[in-house]
Each structure stands twice: as C-alpha cells, then as structure tokens.
Amino acid sequence: MFSAPSQSTIKSNEDLLEHPVFLGIKYIDYSDRVVQKNYSERLYEFQHNPELYTEIHGQLSIKGNMNNTEGKRLSIISPMSLRKFINVVKYDPANPPLDDYESLGMMEAHNKTQSDFKGAKKTNRLDFINYLQEGVREERDIHLPVISGWQSSDVFSDAIFVIYHQVDAHTAYGCLYLPRKPIMQSDGQTQTAALFGVAQSKEGVEAGALDKLIVTLEIELNVDSVKAAQAFADRNGRGSKKNKNLVISMDTAAPLSRLRSNIVQGTVFERRIADGRSGGITVTSTENIVDLSTFEQMLAIALTGGSPLKPEKFKSYHMDTLMPFAVEFIQLLDATFKSYWVSPVLPGKDPYRRLYVMGWPFALKGIALAYYNSRIDKLEPIRTAMQEKVPANEIAQEYFERIISSISVPVVKVSFEELSIRLNQINWLKHKKHWIAITGYAESADGSKKEWKLKEYGTVVKSLNQNQAVLVTKVANKILSPTWEDLKSDIDEPLS
C-alpha cells in the first residue's frame, strides 16, 4: 500500500542548491545516492505540485562567451509531442491568450517582436498548417527546424533541474521542472502558430497529430526584456526578407545601435523614429521623421562617407572617437530642421513631407554626406582606421588610435560652420525649380508634369522622392558647390 510522505519529510524548494555554472538554477544531482532515494520516494516539494510545473527531458546548456558573466545564456533543448509542445508553450503568437495574467505581462514583448498574422503572414500560417496536416496523413515527410523560445526571468527562481548526467562543464542532461508559464518565440513564430492551428483543428485531432507529431523546442531561461529583444534580433538578422527596422530596434548589442540610442536623447528624433511597429513614413504621416534603417544609414554616411561602412564594421572601441561627430551631426539636424518637422499637422497647413525635400531619405542622406565632407579632415582618417584589421598582438583601442594619427589629413573645402550657415539659408520647398532640377518631376501618361494642390501654395509641380544613391550625391554636391546659392531661390518649377 502506498503511503504519502509526511509534510515534515518534504524537502522544500527553498532549500535546494543553486548551480554555480548554470546561472544559479536550483538543482539536484541524481548521481548522488541520497538524492536518488529521495527523488524515487517523492520527497521533494516540486514533485507534489504538478499543476505548477511541466517536466521537460532534455539537454541544458550554457551558451555564449564563458568569460562574459552578463552575456552568457542558459537554454534547454528537447524533442516533444505536439500535445506537450502546446502545453509547454501555452502561447499562440497568432492568438495571444489574453485571459492569462502571465500572458498579459508579456504583451509588450508580443507587440514588439511578434508579427500580426494578417495578409501574407496569415497565408503563410495556413500553408504551414496544410503542410503539417499532409505530413500527419503520411502524404509527405515533415522536416521542421528547431523552434526557439524564451521564458521570463520573473519565474526563473521557480525552475528546478534534475541532473541525470553531466556531459561536460557546460552541458548536462536531465529533467527540467519548468514553471507552467507562457513561452514567447524568438524564432519560428509562423511555425508555432501553425502547430497551434493543427492542434486545435478537427482534422489534426482526428489524425492523431497531438501524439504522432514530434517537434523540437529550445527554451532560453532567465530572459528579461532586453535579452528577449536581442535574441529576436540575433535570430532574425538584417536580411531584406526581414523587417529591418524592427530587427535594428531589437539589436541592443551592436555598437552602432548603442551610439544611435545615445545621440537622439533630447533631440527632435527622440521617439520619432519608426521601428516597424510605431507607424509608417508616408507623405501624410508626421509622427515619425525617419525609420530606423534610414537613420542608421544617415549616421553611417555622416561618419564614414558616401560609401558608408556596414554596421558590422563599427566596433565598440570606435565609439568614443565617433561619438562627438555623431552628436554634432544630429544636433545640426535638430537645430536646422526641428521647426519644419511639425506633428500633428496644424489647421490649414500641409504635412511636412508634402512640402519639404528634407522630409525624405535621399535629402537627409545628402545632408549627411555634406556633413562628412565638412569634417573630412577628422573623419577620413577615422574611416581608414576602422577598416584596418587589428593584429593579434595589439590592443584594439590603442592600435585604432595609432592608425588614425598616422594617416595624412585631407583638405576641407567647406567648413562645418559654413555648412551650417548654408543649410539655414536654403529654400527646402521641394516644388521649387532648383530642387526639381535635382529630383525630377512625376509625369502623367502623356508625359506632362503631374501637379498637386497644396493648402498654402496652391497648385504646384509634383517632384519625385526617389531614394537613390545618385540623388544623395547630387544633393551633397550642390550644397557644397560654389553655386550653392541657387538653392536659396524662391522660383517655382513651371507648371507646363
């Protein structure tokens, strides 16, 4: 006859040791005979609370730089049935469980990193569901990548790991008693949403998908909002098929991202840069001045010239040297154009992108290139040094600074002070003749000039706003040219 252990013999979770390698997770070592006996006799508190835990058998590992205390990650990877996957994850990205208090606590992260399942995203989910159901019906093989997720640091203190076998110093196999709280995806959102769709469908249930379909889940533990954002950015990359603005906003580790976040504080750009979730950049939208991708390109051009270095070329040891110039450039834009970038639109006025050239990326990048040339005596040596590979026997910061000092200084043709004067005197209305000469105009089907009506200026020629490198260069060259005063003109482009 089975006898339940008395409360006096139950070993409290609070008394469990914290593992010194696995980020302090509470644990017991099953190789210890006393632990084996206690475990088999169910003498541990966590064994008596099945409603609080999900048991996950898998491999627990430390990832990242072992010498970086803050940068290390802890995760468990485990294959499991669809039924268990649904019970473990609890979180359908296409239909967040709003009735779950813990899920409500994750809604901020959901809004930042989870895509809305509409349009093409919705179609992809349905296609994925069909693929999975065909596999369950044995009409095809199923090849699923690992789904990556994370659980909040708020519940990490409740997690308990039973070590069956210590593989090496940073890896162990065993059973994780994971708190029954939602798992947010850092990669595999559409796949996860499709798996929930199959699990909740009549066809999937009748075909036995809940028990026949095996998927692999990797869960990062002890994740806060900053690490969650970085995990999303790291896994989603910056390819053209991804939402670059959203990924850049999540990438808190990149030096260029850190530089950007520091220099916008207190300027017109603060809280007015679109990150893929906070509105768009259109003719009539005024809340955001630029998107993150454009802002990053502007910054790279301002600091490294017309063929800007890629973000990965910006290293941490470059930042102290680049910071004063980045601040100066953004403050130049703030001082010159803050009064133009009005939001919301005032009664009787037009939105600024309908009016002004410098509401568009090509012009802002052109101004950035003009700035670079106004500081070329300082920035060109820095750019050259940034491209140098640091020898193995050198200290990066010292080598970088030594290279800068060894490079000959180019001649500045238009000083920063003169550039500032010119920017303040230029007429930035884009229907003026001097801007149409640079940008061109939109054409009707018969080749005539397209027109549009402005509240303040009446009917004018509609200019083009193409974000092309050649236009960026044209804008910069004209601002820096001896004929720059042409840009002060108040003459409209003729309507015909």
Side-chain angles (χ1 to χ4, degrees):
M1 182 177 177
F2 173 76
S3 298
S6 66
Q7 289 298 319
S8 61
T9 62
I10 294 293
K11 301 185 180 303
S12 170
N13 293 343
E14 297 297 323
D15 296 332
L16 299 181
L17 297 175
E18 296 182 356
H19 202 287
V21 174
F22 297 130
L23 302 189
I25 191 171
K26 291 177 181 176
Y27 79 103
I28 59 174
D29 188 347
Y30 193 75
S31 64
D32 185 306
R33 290 190 176 183
V34 175
V35 170
Q36 285 185 32
K37 182 177 183 297
N38 292 338
Y39 189 70
S40 63
E41 295 178 1
R42 298 178 56 81
L43 297 182
Y44 291 102
E45 179 186 350
F46 61 85
Q47 293 179 288
H48 294 268
N49 297 286
E51 73 282 1
L52 300 179
Y53 292 102
T54 299
E55 297 180 28
I56 300 178
H57 289 85
Q59 179 176 288
L60 189 73
S61 301
I62 287 287
K63 305 165 79 173
N65 183 352
M66 296 301 106
N67 293 325
N68 184 351
T69 303
E70 295 298 322
K72 288 187 292 190
R73 303 286 181 94
L74 179 67
S75 70
I76 186 166
I77 187 167
S78 174
M80 59 186 67
S81 69
L82 177 58
R83 184 188 302 276
K84 186 162 189 175
F85 176 85
I86 298 301
N87 290 331
V88 170
V89 173
K90 293 187 65 178
Y91 187 94
D92 180 356
N95 186 27
L98 299 179
D99 59 338
D100 188 309
Y101 176 79
E102 296 297 333
S103 294
L104 286 174
M106 299 170 78
M107 286 308 297
E108 181 180 356
H110 171 89
N111 292 332
K112 288 184 177 180
T113 65
Q114 313 291 294
S115 298
D116 294 329
F117 282 83
K118 301 175 183 178
K121 191 80 171 177
K122 181 178 180 180
T123 300
N124 289 343
R125 174 180 174 270
L126 294 175
D127 288 342
F128 216 139
I129 289 175
N130 290 334
Y131 164 80
L132 292 169
Q133 289 177 336
E134 289 171 3
V136 173
R137 293 194 301 264
E138 300 181 12
E139 296 172 4
R140 66 185 302 163
D141 293 336
I142 298 178
H143 300 275
L144 299 179
V146 175
I147 295 175
S148 299
W150 57 270
Q151 192 174 70
S152 172
S153 55
D154 292 341
V155 297
F156 181 66
S157 61
D158 296 327
I160 297 165
F161 189 59
V162 181
I163 299 176
Y164 294 162
H165 174 58
Q166 186 82 32
V167 179
D168 57 37
H170 308 113
T171 307
Y173 179 77
C175 181
L176 175 66
Y177 283 75
L178 186 73
R180 287 183 179 271
K181 306 297 181 182
I183 305 295
M184 178 83 73
Q185 293 77 46
S186 49
D187 196 23
Q189 295 164 18
T190 303
Q191 181 178 325
T192 299
L195 287 167
F196 271 88
V198 171
Q200 295 161 359
S201 70
K202 183 174 183 293
E203 181 180 355
V205 173
E206 290 180 349
L210 288 170
D211 298 309
K212 289 165 57 176
L213 183 56
I214 304 299
V215 299
T216 303
L217 176 65
E218 181 177 23
I219 308 169
E220 280 195 15
L221 307 172
N222 198 23
V223 175
D224 58 22
S225 59
V226 174
K227 289 183 178 179
Q230 190 62 54
F232 176 87
D234 290 347
R235 285 173 169 83
N236 284 277
R238 297 193 177 186
S240 59
K241 293 183 180 180
K242 303 294 183 180
N243 186 328
K244 292 181 68 175
N245 294 313
L246 181 59
V247 171
I248 292 171
S249 72
M250 298 290 109
D251 190 354
T252 57
L256 191 58
S257 292
R258 296 204 305 272
L259 179 65
R260 180 198 70 242
S261 63
N262 287 332
I263 64 176
V264 300
Q265 303 301 318
T267 74
V268 68
F269 291 103
E270 187 174 8
R271 294 188 295 276
R272 295 187 68 186
I273 302 177
D275 60 5
R277 287 290 183 271
S278 59
I281 304 296
T282 65
V283 173
T284 56
S285 64
T286 59
E287 181 180 358
N288 295 313
I289 299 170
V290 294
D291 59 36
L292 270 173
S293 178
T294 297
F295 192 89
E296 189 173 87
Q297 292 173 58
M298 288 164 48
L299 198 54
I301 292 172
L303 299 176
T304 62
S307 297
L309 300 184
K310 294 182 178 180
E312 56 266 26
K313 289 291 185 180
F314 288 75
K315 308 298 183 184
S316 296
Y317 57 87
H318 298 154
M319 293 304 102
D320 287 345
T321 303
L322 291 172
M323 180 67 78
F325 300 101
V327 170
E328 184 178 61
F329 170 62
I330 296 305
Q331 288 182 346
L332 172 66
L333 297 181
D334 181 76
T336 308
F337 302 119
K338 184 176 182 178
S339 62
Y340 290 85
W341 291 325
V342 176
S343 181
V345 180
L346 300 175
K349 302 290 185 179
D350 293 287
Y352 58 82
R353 254 184 291 275
R354 189 181 288 273
L355 294 176
Y356 303 116
V357 168
M358 51 23 174
W360 296 90
F362 77 90
L364 289 169
K365 293 176 188 177
I367 296 168
L369 182 55
Y371 170 79
Y372 175 81
N373 282 282
S374 77
R375 292 297 193 196
I376 197 169
D377 56 329
K378 302 289 194 304
L379 291 172
E380 182 62 25
I382 295 172
R383 170 192 165 89
T384 302
M386 288 173 68
Q387 298 178 84
E388 290 284 330
K389 184 176 180 180
V390 181
N393 61 336
E394 292 275 2
I395 297 174
Q397 181 75 48
E398 295 178 357
Y399 182 77
F400 172 60
E401 294 173 355
R402 192 163 68 249
I403 291 296
I404 292 174
S405 63
S406 69
I407 297 171
S408 58
V409 177
V411 176
V412 175
K413 296 181 180 180
V414 175
S415 69
F416 171 76
E417 291 72 22
E418 173 63 19
L419 173 63
S420 180
I421 292 171
R422 293 185 182 187
L423 293 180
N424 279 283
Q425 293 185 14
I426 289 172
N427 186 333
W428 296 98
L429 287 167
K430 63 182 185 175
H431 63 269
K432 297 302 178 181
K433 187 174 182 179
H434 53 267
W435 285 118
I436 298 290
I438 293 174
T439 67
Y441 53 79
E443 295 184 1
S444 301
D446 61 1
S448 61
K449 298 175 182 177
K450 276 191 176 181
E451 303 172 356
W452 60 358
K453 191 171 183 179
L454 301 175
K455 293 179 180 179
E456 298 174 72
Y457 300 97
T459 302
V460 299
V461 174
K462 185 176 182 180
S463 65
L464 296 177
N465 308 304
Q466 300 177 92
N467 190 22
Q468 298 174 334
V470 64
L471 287 181
V472 172
T473 303
K474 280 185 177 182
V475 170
N477 288 347
K478 188 63 177 179
I479 292 173
L480 298 174
S481 73
T483 61
W484 76 273
E485 290 189 344
D486 294 344
L487 300 176
K488 297 165 60 177
S489 171
D490 194 39
I491 299 174
D492 289 353
E493 175 69 16
L495 293 173
S496 60

